[in-house]
């Protein structure tokens, strides 16, 4: 990893913004290293995790310098909790990457489950026919009109991590990108797996991964908005994951007891997904419920590559009487409807058929460019 920072002069908000960006990146790259069994990507993931460790140390040091009273300490605690979560996520990403580096083979069902999420990681080569050729990252996202995030680019044997929006693709670049299923189909990215697959196990693995991500989304947004309702959602997904994990263990042992190494490694991978959800639950358990944006976290969120937004649905809003599926935010602009608050209660288990009503409060999360476009038409609610 080539990125260099002056750690000594970083502020808490600057260090936390880097943590947020890099932790999410490390996790996505670790999934890519599993899907493509790519040791180069795995090594980059380990380097990013080590980099995040230094950023977290910087936040803790800055926290000590800035704390002059009990009130100061209490006001700065949310930033320390957020840094803790990023550190745990990067540690989990490193564990996944080291499975690849140590050549620990997983059941083929894991790869397929990772490729079946609403948002997945893919590997693309820029050839003469590539739709990315000569475009910048920003131009690609705008021109292709899909939710697209470029995680890393390999050029001339070197990896460029988290390239800037003005980075221009060249012939023979190898691109690690994240997006919807539509993005992968657009670039012709498919992973072929030989042999028979157990569909039920694939679905359970996918659901466990989805639960771990929802724990993170809701844990962090609960911290951002200081919301007990969102915190309870994170905890409910954690409970759901633990139940699924128990069921999956039994199913895996019954189905694959003859494949001892792959079985053990797959169970280890599931344990890492569990650790990721535990980080989100840890944040959620510390929420006081004041319902106000924390100033440092708000500043970090405004500058982050991925952002959150609350929208209040008015009677004449474009959202009113539309279903989640009809909005197609995931496919078009890479924004996910995470939860809806209706008559004082949060709804988390949304489907494409879930209808949006006037008076609803919608929690969104996704790419900065998509969030900004929605702010122009819907605005952001500053208090829950």
């Amino acid at each position: 990893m080539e990125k260099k920072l002056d750690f000594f002069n970083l502020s808490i908000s600057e260090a936390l913004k880097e943590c947020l960006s890099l932790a999410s990146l490390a996790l996505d790259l670790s999934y890519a290293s599993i899907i493509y069994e790519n040791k180069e990507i795995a090594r980059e993931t380990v380097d990013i995790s080590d980099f995040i460790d230094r950023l977290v140390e910087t936040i803790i040091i800055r926290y000590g310098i800035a704390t002059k009273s009990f009130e100061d300490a209490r006001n700065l605690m949310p930033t320390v909790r957020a840094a803790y979560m990023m550190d745990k996520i990067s540690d989990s990403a490193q564990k996944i990457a080291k499975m690849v580096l140590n050549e620990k083979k997983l059941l083929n069902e894991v790869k397929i489950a990772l490729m079946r999420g609403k948002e997945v990681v893919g590997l693309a080569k820029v050839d003469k026919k590539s739709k990315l050729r000569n475009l910048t990252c920003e131009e690609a996202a705008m021109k292709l009109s899909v939710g697209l995030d470029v995680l890393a680019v390999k050029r001339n044997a070197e990896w460029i991590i988290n390239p800037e929006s003005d980075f221009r693709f060249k012939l023979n670049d190898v691109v690690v990108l994240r997006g919807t299923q539509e993005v992968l189909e657009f670039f012709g990215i498919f992973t072929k797996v030989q042999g028979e697959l157990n569909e039920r196990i694939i679905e359970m693995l996918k659901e466990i991964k989805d639960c771990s991500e929802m724990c993170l989304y809701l844990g962090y947004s609960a911290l951002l908005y200081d919301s007990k309702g969102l915190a309870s959602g994170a905890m409910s997904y954690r409970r759901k994951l633990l139940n699924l994990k128990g069921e999956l263990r039994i199913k895996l042992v019954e189905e694959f007891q003859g494949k001892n190494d792959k079985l053990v490694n797959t169970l280890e991978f599931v344990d890492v997904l569990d650790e990721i959800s535990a980080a989100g639950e840890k944040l959620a358990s510390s929420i006081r419920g004041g319902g106000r944006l924390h100033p440092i976290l708000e500043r970090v969120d405004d500058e982050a590559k991925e952002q959150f937004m609350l929208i209040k649905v008015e009677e004449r809003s474009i959202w009113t009487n539309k279903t989640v599926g009809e909005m197609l935010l995931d496919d078009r602009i890479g924004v996910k409807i995470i939860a809806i608050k209706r008559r004082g209660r949060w709804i988390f288990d949304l489907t494409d058929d879930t209808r949006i009503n006037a008076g609803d409060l919608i929690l969104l999360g996704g790419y900065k460019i998509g969030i900004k476009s929605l702010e122009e038409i819907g605005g952001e609610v500053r208090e829950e």
Side-chain angles (χ1 to χ4, degrees), residues 29 32 36 38 40-41 44 122-127 130 132 150-163 167-177 189:
L29 288 178
Y36 300 101
N38 190 307
E40 289 183 59
I41 296 175
E44 291 298 321
L123 201 65
K125 177 88 177 277
V126 180
D127 56 24
S130 173
L132 288 175
V150 179
L151 306 176
V153 178
K154 184 183 179 183
R155 177 177 292 172
N156 300 327
E158 290 188 6
W159 283 95
I160 301 160
I161 300 298
N162 219 1
F167 176 87
R168 194 170 296 278
F169 300 105
K170 292 183 179 180
L171 191 66
N172 297 322
D173 283 349
V174 177
V175 185
V176 184
L177 50 85
I189 299 171

Side-chain angles (χ1 to χ4, degrees), residues 23-92:
S24 173
L25 174 67
L27 196 55
D28 285 329
L29 288 178
S30 73
Y31 292 149
S33 72
I34 287 283
I35 293 168
Y36 300 101
E37 297 183 14
N38 190 307
K39 288 187 177 182
E40 289 183 59
I41 296 175
R43 279 190 285 271
E44 291 298 321
T45 303
V46 172
D47 287 346
I48 292 170
S49 181
D50 292 339
F51 195 82
I52 290 171
D53 288 343
R54 291 196 64 190
L55 286 168
V56 172
E57 287 176 7
T58 301
I59 291 170
I60 293 170
I61 291 169
R62 283 289 174 193
Y63 174 80
I65 294 171
T67 303
K68 296 179 175 64
S69 66
F70 177 79
E71 191 64 25
D72 287 342
R74 189 170 67 174
N75 289 336
L76 284 170
M77 270 308 294
T79 62
V80 176
R81 292 190 186 110
Y84 162 85
M85 185 178 84
M86 298 308 115
D87 194 34
K88 290 297 180 185
I89 293 168
S90 72
D91 287 347
S92 298

Side-chain angles (χ1 to χ4, degrees), residues 317-336:
S317 168
I318 61 164
W319 303 83
T320 306
N321 293 326
K322 296 282 199 313
T323 65
V324 170
E326 284 172 339
M327 295 306 291
L328 279 175
L329 298 182
D330 269 1
D331 290 341
R332 290 191 291 112
I333 56 176
V335 174
K336 179 183 178 65

